[in-house]
């Protein structure tokens, strides 16, 4: 029996921030995108469980952004 293992990236959740942020890269002030990504282990091309989770926050215009830790992500997600 042959097993095919792999890994694939998925966007788990994507939302717009409530507060506007200034981007020093493209010089625009806009609502940034908050995104949760996960790398899933897959078996026969079906995602089975997440191996790694990443939280990112980026400018929707130039895609310049930074990585957040889980606490920062939750804080931004709930900030009004
Ligand atoms: Zn930008």
């Amino acid at each position: 029996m042959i097993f095919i293992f792999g890994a694939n990236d998925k966007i788990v959740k994507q939302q717009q921030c409530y507060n506007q942020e200034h981007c020093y890269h493209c010089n625009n002030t806009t609502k940034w995108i908050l995104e949760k990504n996960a790398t899933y282990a897959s078996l026969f091309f079906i995602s089975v469980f997440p191996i790694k989770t990443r939280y990112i926050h980026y400018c929707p215009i130039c895609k310049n952004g930074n990585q957040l830790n889980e606490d920062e992500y939750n804080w931004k997600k709930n900030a009004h």
Side-chain angles (χ1 to χ4, degrees):
M1 186 134 185
I2 301 164
F3 291 100
I4 304 166
F5 292 101
N8 50 24
D9 288 329
K10 266 195 198 177
I11 295 173
V12 180
K13 195 172 160 67
Q14 192 185 58
Q15 70 178 80
Q16 204 172 43
C17 286
Y18 295 104
N19 300 318
Q20 295 205 332
E21 303 236 9
H22 184 75
C23 176
Y24 292 97
H25 190 255
C26 64
N27 226 15
N28 283 294
T29 300
T30 181
K31 289 181 176 179
W32 283 28
I33 305 292
L34 201 56
E35 204 176 275
K36 180 179 177 180
N37 289 315
T39 302
Y40 278 81
S42 64
L43 182 61
F44 298 112
F45 310 106
I46 299 161
S47 299
V48 276
F49 58 88
I51 327 171
K52 201 170 81 178
T53 308
R54 270 185 320 274
Y55 303 95
I56 51 170
H57 180 224
Y58 63 90
C59 167
I61 298 161
C62 66
K63 311 279 190 264
N64 170 57
N66 44 49
Q67 258 193 45
L68 305 174
N69 63 37
E70 197 174 348
D71 289 342
E72 289 170 325
Y73 172 82
N74 286 325
W75 187 86
K76 281 196 185 290
K77 195 176 76 177
N78 298 316
H80 286 270

